[in-house]
């Protein structure tokens, strides 16, 4: 195993030279790891004095910035287990936040929330039973020396993996797993002091927290961290932040849609004078990656000096902390064009029979050192390269389990069955299908049940007859959330039903339905026990859409 | 054309361009989710409107904007304040 800090507190103590820029609504703050470490120590003191016991869970309802980092580091130093939750961010976000924060705060083991002053009033209304600790107050604690050493097997962080829903899966990750994965990633991308990570992913996203933040910390490299809203408003600012550092070596993590977004929104004048020659590694993951999107990105930015091998697709999941495979550095990403029919049929990787049969796939790289990836069939037997099966992962970064109703992590031991479908070819992993039924929107996993359950509550919707699923959209660079449902009334859906469903789903789960189809009664296929067969429903939906089009 | 109508017109244009919906479906009371726009697309749209008028809506205010009408008002207020 690679050398390096054994845990986050050790990383903080060792990060002597790395500089950090934190960008927020009020501008940019220039700081460094040692100053942020001091901020963490103060928070740890405050937490101890406030009686927050080791092992207790806190929700950090904070935007990226000094408050968030002080709170995160303070929790680790005090043995408290944090989870980031996004405060309202983006147009119309407050209404959704109000509905979701109460249930989140009531999760097992959560003893309170950390928030900025301006959120206190809203929290008092939306989560009146929750204890709220003010971020500024926590940071005013004494700078005491850090306390007990960390137990690598103890839970260090709980990742809420299902986005903004009422009852997200709480993935418990040990200190040891965190350190292992961060060091594995660092070793693979060969990050050194003097390099910089430039990103804007939020800290409640695993790629943001472990990728953008902890990788440079553990390796005493520089960090430039903006927020998603900054990227969405001015995508060129991301490129400029990288360019301004040239010739410094830059690594960046981003979800696949970000590359499409840059191509769609950046004009020539935005790219004027950019020098991207230092952008050594652009990690690209969190959702299915389309070759055309990457090619368009490269074509657009090659004139600005983007290195040929910069785009580095990767694959991972919260249940393995973050990363499982990453395209090796200095290697151009792998790609294969395969037969759609052979893959869907026999699960065999074969050359396409013709243009109509061609499926262009992007490789996600090779397993990190210490992690083992196997492809297994339905019977659990390992499959050779060139055969499609379930991706199974073993290694030091596996999570400790989802928290049960009592707040204890539970995971059956042994290798992690990801539920993702893929194959190995030329030593690279190709991920072709998602976890069973899970919908990936903007790099975030969502379970269809959450949408179905909410939609079914809308008057006029036939109970138990709602199917939600994702449809891949290369143009959008992400999946579309589609819903097929039956109306209660035999005479057809009442006026305004579609709008009512869209609004309710947005309000209660924060998700926007892309396409909604109201079907005749009896359309949605069910199992013998009356449960919706989602994969079948998806096929029915596609057939209906085709029918309407022709 | 009154400023309000012009702003609303731009927003409607952007929504139609992004989603292919019928322009008649875009009303002042509409919400982004009515057209299947997720939070990223909604923010991208807001960013384009801001860019066109050279304004920047306060983030806290943005979080509270639920309808297109509210967005139009916010932009209009910023322009009047110039």
């Amino acid at each position: 195993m690679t050398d390096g800090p054994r845990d986050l507190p050790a990383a903080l103590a060792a990060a002597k030279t790395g500089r950090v820029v934190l960008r927020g609504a009020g501008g940019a703050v220039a700081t460094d790891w040692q100053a942020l470490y001091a901020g963490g120590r103060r928070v740890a003191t405050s937490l101890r004095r406030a009686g927050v016991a080791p092992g207790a869970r806190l929700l950090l309802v904070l935007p990226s910035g000094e408050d968030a980092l002080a709170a995160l580091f303070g929790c680790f130093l005090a043995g408290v287990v944090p989870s980031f939750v996004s405060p309202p961010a983006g147009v119309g976000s407050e209404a959704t936040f109000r509905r979701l924060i109460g249930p989140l705060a009531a999760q097992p083991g959560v003893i309170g929330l950390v928030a900025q002053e301006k959120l206190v009033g809203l929290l008092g209304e939306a989560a009146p039973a929750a204890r709220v600790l003010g971020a500024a107050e926590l940071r005013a604690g004494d700078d005491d020396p850090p306390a007990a050493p960390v137990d690598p097997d103890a839970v260090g962080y709980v990742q809420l993996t299902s986005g903004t829903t009422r009852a997200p899966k709480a993935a418990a990750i040990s200190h040891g797993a965190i350190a292992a994965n961060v060091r594995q990633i660092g070793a693979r991308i060969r990050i050194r002091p003097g390099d910089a990570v430039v990103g804007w992913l939020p800290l409640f996203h695993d790629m943001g927290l472990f990728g953008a933040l902890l990788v440079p910390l553990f390796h005493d490299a520089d960090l430039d961290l903006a927020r998603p809203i900054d990227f969405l408003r001015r995508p060129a600012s991301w490129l400029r932040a990288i360019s301004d550092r040239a010739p410094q070596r830059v690594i960046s993590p981003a979800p696949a849609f970000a590359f499409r977004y840059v191509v769609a929104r950046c004009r020539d004048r935005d790219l004027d004078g950019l020098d991207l020659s230092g952008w050594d590694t652009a990690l690209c993951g969190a959702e299915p990656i389309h070759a055309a999107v990457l090619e368009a990105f490269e074509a657009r930015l090659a004139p600005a000096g983007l290195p040929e091998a910069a785009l580095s697709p990767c694959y991972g999941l919260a249940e393995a902390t973050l990363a499982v495979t990453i395209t090796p550095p200095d290697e151009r990403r792998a790609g294969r064009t395969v037969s759609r029919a052979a893959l869907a049929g026999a699960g065999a990787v074969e050359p396409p029979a013709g243009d109509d049969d061609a499926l262009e796939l992007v490789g996600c790289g090779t397993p990190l050192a210490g992690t083992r990836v196997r492809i297994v069939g339905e019977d659990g037997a390992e499959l050779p390269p060139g055969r499609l099966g379930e991706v199974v992962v073993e290694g030091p970064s596996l999570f400790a389990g989802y928290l049960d109703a009592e707040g204890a992590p539970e995971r059956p031991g042994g290798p992690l069955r990801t539920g993702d479908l893929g194959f190995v070819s030329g030593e690279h992993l190709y991920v072709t299908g998602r976890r069973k039924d899970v919908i990936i929107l903007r790099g975030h996993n969502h379970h269809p049940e959450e949408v179905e359950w909410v939609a079914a509550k809308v008057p006029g919707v036939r109970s138990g007859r709602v199917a939600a699923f994702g449809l891949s959209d290369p143009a959008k660079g992400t999946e579309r959330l589609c819903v097929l449902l039956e109306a209660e009334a035999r005479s057809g859906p009442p006026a305004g039903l579609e709008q009512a469903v869209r609004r309710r789903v947005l309000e209660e789960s924060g998700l926007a339905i892309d396409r909604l189809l109201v079907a005749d009664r009896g359309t949605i296929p069910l199992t013998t026990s009356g449960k919706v067969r989602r994969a079948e429903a998806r096929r029915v939906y596609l057939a209906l859409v085709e029918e309407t089009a022709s | 054309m009154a400023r309000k109508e012009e702003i609303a017109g731009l927003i409607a244009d952007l929504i139609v361009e992004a989603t292919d919906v019928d322009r008649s479906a875009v009303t002042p009371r509409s919400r982004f989710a009515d057209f299947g726009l997720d939070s990223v697309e909604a923010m991208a749209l807001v960013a384009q409107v801001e860019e066109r008028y050279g304004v920047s809506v306060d983030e806290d205010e943005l979080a509270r904007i639920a309808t297109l009408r509210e967005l139009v008002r916010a932009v209009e207020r910023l322009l009047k304040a110039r």
Side-chain angles (χ1 to χ4, degrees):
Chain A
M1 183 44 79
T2 49
D3 275 329
R6 63 181 67 254
D7 51 48
L8 193 146
L12 283 169
K16 294 284 171 43
T17 62
R19 292 170 195 242
V20 178
V21 173
L22 301 173
R23 300 177 191 271
V29 168
T31 181
D32 54 53
W33 295 118
Q34 286 307 299
L36 295 168
Y37 180 24
R41 290 195 300 266
R42 292 180 187 280
V43 169
T45 304
S46 299
L47 289 175
R48 272 181 230 117
R49 300 236 173 110
V52 180
R57 289 184 60 197
L58 276 183
L59 300 186
L60 308 184
V61 191
L62 300 164
S64 294
E66 287 179 290
D67 284 348
L69 300 194
L72 176 73
F73 297 158
C75 282
F76 273 75
L77 293 169
V80 172
V81 182
S83 303
F84 274 112
V85 169
S86 178
V91 57
S93 54
E94 190 179 289
T96 310
F97 178 85
R98 277 179 181 276
R99 284 187 174 263
L100 298 176
I101 192 63
L104 285 179
Q107 279 192 358
V110 173
I111 64 105
L113 318 174
V114 179
Q116 292 172 329
E117 177 64 37
K118 66 178 186 180
L119 215 55
V120 168
L122 196 163
L123 289 174
E125 292 163 13
R131 180 180 180 190
V132 178
L133 300 168
E137 285 79 15
L138 289 180
R139 290 178 62 191
D142 289 338
D143 186 355
D144 290 339
V150 163
D151 171 9
D153 294 329
V155 175
Y157 187 86
V158 170
Q159 178 69 30
L160 303 178
T161 68
S162 288
T164 59
T165 62
R166 290 182 153 259
K169 283 186 162 180
I173 305 169
S174 71
H175 286 286
I178 293 170
N181 203 224
V182 171
R183 284 160 46 180
Q184 282 177 302
I185 295 167
R188 172 56 66 92
I189 64 178
R190 301 196 292 226
I191 188 170
R192 301 218 163 24
D195 292 341
V197 172
V198 178
W200 45 265
L201 276 167
L203 295 173
F204 57 83
H205 195 293
D206 53 10
M207 206 179 193
L209 175 61
F210 303 115
L213 177 68
L214 296 195
V215 166
L217 167 61
F218 270 68
H219 299 85
D220 198 15
D222 292 348
L223 167 65
D224 183 326
L225 186 65
R227 305 163 309 151
I229 194 172
D230 302 318
F231 170 70
L232 294 174
R233 269 179 158 153
R234 271 163 221 102
S237 64
W238 181 37
L239 307 178
R240 202 140 297 276
I242 295 170
S243 173
D244 286 349
R245 289 173 175 271
Q248 184 180 25
R249 179 172 177 254
V250 169
I251 297 116
S252 68
F257 86 81
F259 298 90
R260 170 86 185 94
Y261 193 75
V262 164
V263 171
R265 296 261 295 141
C266 289
R267 252 146 298 161
D268 288 343
R269 65 166 185 267
D270 297 322
L271 308 181
D272 244 353
L274 280 185
D275 176 3
L276 301 177
S277 56
W279 196 356
D280 188 89
T281 304
L283 296 166
C284 169
E287 55 192 351
I289 306 157
H290 295 274
V293 168
L294 300 185
E295 280 155 25
F297 184 83
E298 285 171 330
R300 194 85 177 90
L301 295 182
L306 180 74
E308 234 191 77
L311 285 181
S312 301
C314 52
Y315 163 76
L317 64 170
E319 291 79 356
T321 305
L322 175 62
V324 173
T325 62
I326 296 179
T327 299
D330 302 336
E331 257 186 55
R332 190 148 168 76
R333 65 178 179 287
R336 281 207 60 167
T337 305
V338 306
S339 162
R340 206 182 278 271
L343 198 64
V349 176
E350 286 168 19
D355 282 344
D356 280 347
D357 186 41
L359 178 63
E360 234 185 298
L361 296 171
V362 176
C364 297
T366 55
L368 303 180
T371 290
R372 186 170 168 222
V373 168
R374 285 182 298 133
I375 304 294
V376 306
E378 306 248 324
D379 56 0
E382 183 165 356
L383 295 170
R387 303 273 332 183
L388 186 71
E390 183 175 4
V391 177
V392 174
V393 179
E394 287 167 282
S397 75
L398 298 193
F399 78 140
Y402 299 113
L403 299 184
D404 62 20
E406 280 75 54
E410 51 171 28
R411 181 179 91 79
L416 177 69
R417 301 192 64 145
T418 66
D420 288 320
L421 298 179
F423 62 87
V424 172
S425 174
E427 292 181 22
H428 282 241
L429 173 67
Y430 290 77
V431 178
T432 62
R434 68 192 70 79
R435 221 159 295 166
K436 191 171 104 67
D437 292 352
V438 153
I439 304 163
I440 304 176
L441 302 170
R442 306 289 175 188
H444 234 115
N445 292 341
H446 298 278
H447 293 266
E449 291 88 351
E450 65 189 80
V451 174
E452 293 162 359
W453 175 74
V454 172
K457 292 194 293 180
V458 175
V461 174
R462 192 169 177 209
S463 169
R465 306 303 176 107
V466 184
F469 41 83
L471 282 181
S472 172
D473 186 348
K476 219 160 128 167
T478 184
E479 286 194 352
R480 303 171 163 194
L481 173 58
C482 300
V483 171
L484 179 66
L485 58 84
E486 292 177 14
E488 186 67 56
R490 288 181 194 284
S491 52
L497 180 67
E498 182 175 337
Q499 184 182 84
V501 171
R502 285 179 181 282
R503 288 195 181 180
R504 189 86 179 253
V505 167
L506 180 71
E507 272 166 38
E508 295 204 21
S509 72
L511 297 176
I513 297 173
D514 194 304
R515 298 276 191 263
L516 194 158
L517 202 56
V518 180
D520 293 332
R521 282 171 69 99
T523 305
I524 295 185
L526 307 175
T527 63
T528 48
S529 53
K531 292 176 90 167
V532 171
R533 288 166 59 205
R534 252 179 235 109
E536 266 305 301
R538 200 167 175 271
R539 276 187 269 273
V540 167
Y541 169 92
L542 288 169
L544 285 173
V545 164
E546 243 189 68
E547 228 179 73
T548 323
S550 56
Chain B
M1 193 197 302
R3 191 49 82 66
K4 200 177 285 198
E5 268 96 40
E6 188 191 286
I7 301 169
L10 172 63
I11 294 172
D13 285 344
L14 291 172
I15 289 176
V16 167
E17 196 187 302
T19 64
D20 244 0
V21 296
D22 212 67
R23 205 194 167 90
S24 62
V26 184
T27 73
R29 287 229 177 96
S30 299
R31 301 169 187 222
F32 290 108
D34 293 347
F35 313 110
L37 292 167
D38 67 16
S39 59
V40 168
E41 287 166 310
M43 195 56 226
L45 198 144
V46 169
Q48 284 178 266
V49 175
E50 289 179 326
E51 196 170 33
R52 165 73 180 76
Y53 290 102
V55 299
S56 192
V57 181
D58 172 78
E59 287 176 23
D60 294 335
E61 195 185 341
L62 210 51
R64 288 189 286 269
I65 287 174
T67 64
L68 300 191
R69 174 158 58 193
E70 286 165 16
L71 177 59
V72 171
R73 276 200 206 123
V75 173
E76 206 192 11
R77 265 198 301 270
L78 285 167
L79 290 171
K80 281 203 175 115
R82 284 236 183 99

